Amino acid sequence: MSDQPRRSRPAGKPYRRPQKDPVRLLAFEALRAVDERDAYANLVLPPLLRKAREGGTFDTRDAALATELVYGTLRRQGTYDAIIAACVDRPLREVDPPVLDVLALGAHQLLGTRIPTHAAVSASVDLARVVLGDGRAKFVNAVLRKISRQDLDAWVAEVAPPYDEDPEDHLAVVHSHPRWVVSALWDSLGGGREGIEDLLAADNERPEVTLVARPGRATPDELLREEAAVPGRWSPYAVRLTEGG
């Protein structure tokens, strides 16, 4: 029996087991449900978060990150698909949907959050190893490294068709809306670039959570102690959470 290792590894590159990140695993599970079952994210995500909290694997920050990953990825899916398409050597329809979900999650972390680049790529590749296997994890790694070379604005400028040549497709990519939605909204507004762009941009805004201080149960001042809490616009009993929720 030989004393030599059965498999040699390059010097300086020790094997590292992929980390099972419960936050990203949950986000991936939610995206797969949306894709496979045409499920609504707002119906799929809450029970997944509740189960994770009850199991003791999630705290408030974990839940907030998982929520941002799911909703943020879906909100900008059209834009991310166009960017991913520019970084792969085949049509997107030939890429397995679970691989696309991991790539979209990674793209959102790189282009739509403040997660550092190395952490976004590393966490996404670890997720790919866990849910897709080593072979496809290498593909995910290569694509995300290409995506990480530019910020979102630079990518959009590169992948969106020029407005003068195809205004509806340009707006669809820039604002991540299906072309038919852009066309329908534009018809409803009666034309005009400024109006449609304002509407599409507003439609992509992250919704805020509004809390109500019920008399006898809580006061607005107590609710305003929450992080990122500001007074409501229309009622003295309302408090808005500008982040999290």
Side-chain angles (χ1 to χ4, degrees):
M1 181 174 177
S2 169
D3 2 349
Q4 295 297 320
R6 290 191 298 168
R7 181 182 301 170
S8 60
R9 299 189 186 95
K13 292 186 177 180
Y15 176 75
R16 183 176 67 84
R17 288 183 178 276
Q19 300 297 309
K20 290 188 177 182
D21 182 335
V23 172
R24 288 167 177 82
L25 280 170
L26 185 146
F28 174 77
E29 185 178 349
L31 292 183
R32 293 307 305 135
V34 170
D35 182 62
E36 290 180 325
R37 308 198 305 266
D38 289 330
Y40 291 98
N42 64 317
L43 299 180
V44 167
L45 186 58
L48 290 175
L49 293 174
R50 185 165 56 251
K51 182 178 178 182
R53 281 170 165 158
E54 290 171 352
T57 58
F58 265 40
D59 57 21
T60 302
R61 285 190 176 185
D62 293 331
L65 176 57
T67 300
E68 169 58 30
L69 292 181
V70 173
Y71 289 142
T73 299
L74 291 172
R75 191 181 300 121
R76 297 309 302 260
Q77 185 173 6
T79 305
Y80 294 150
D81 280 352
I83 294 169
I84 293 167
C87 295
V88 301
D89 57 0
R90 70 196 78 163
L92 284 192
R93 65 178 179 274
E94 296 179 10
V95 180
D96 288 342
V99 178
L100 284 177
D101 282 341
V102 174
L103 287 173
L105 278 170
H108 181 58
Q109 290 171 76
L110 287 167
L111 304 176
T113 75
R114 290 175 288 187
I115 296 172
T117 296
H118 68 278
V121 173
S122 177
S124 300
V125 173
D126 279 348
L127 173 64
R129 286 197 181 103
V130 171
V131 300
L132 304 173
D134 286 342
R136 289 191 284 185
K138 293 177 182 177
F139 173 74
V140 167
N141 182 51
V143 174
L144 292 182
R145 289 192 180 280
K146 289 181 182 178
I147 292 174
S148 70
R149 294 172 187 168
Q150 300 188 101
D151 63 14
L152 180 60
D153 289 341
W155 272 117
V156 168
E158 179 176 327
V159 302
Y163 181 86
D164 292 340
E165 294 180 10
D166 191 339
E168 290 185 357
D169 207 28
H170 172 88
L171 294 174
V173 173
V174 170
H175 295 286
S176 191
H177 281 66
R179 183 185 177 112
W180 69 267
V181 172
V182 174
S183 179
L185 292 175
W186 212 338
D187 289 344
S188 298
L189 291 175
R193 179 174 181 176
E194 184 176 348
I196 185 68
E197 291 222 74
D198 289 345
L199 179 58
L200 293 171
D203 197 37
N204 276 333
E205 288 292 324
R206 183 184 292 110
E208 295 178 348
V209 174
T210 299
L211 306 177
V212 177
R214 295 180 62 182
R217 301 288 295 276
T219 67
D221 287 342
E222 289 173 334
L223 297 181
L224 285 169
R225 295 173 193 160
E226 294 285 336
E227 187 176 352
V230 297
R233 293 188 181 96
W234 314 117
S235 168
Y237 299 104
V239 170
R240 293 182 295 119
L241 297 182
T242 57
E243 296 180 9

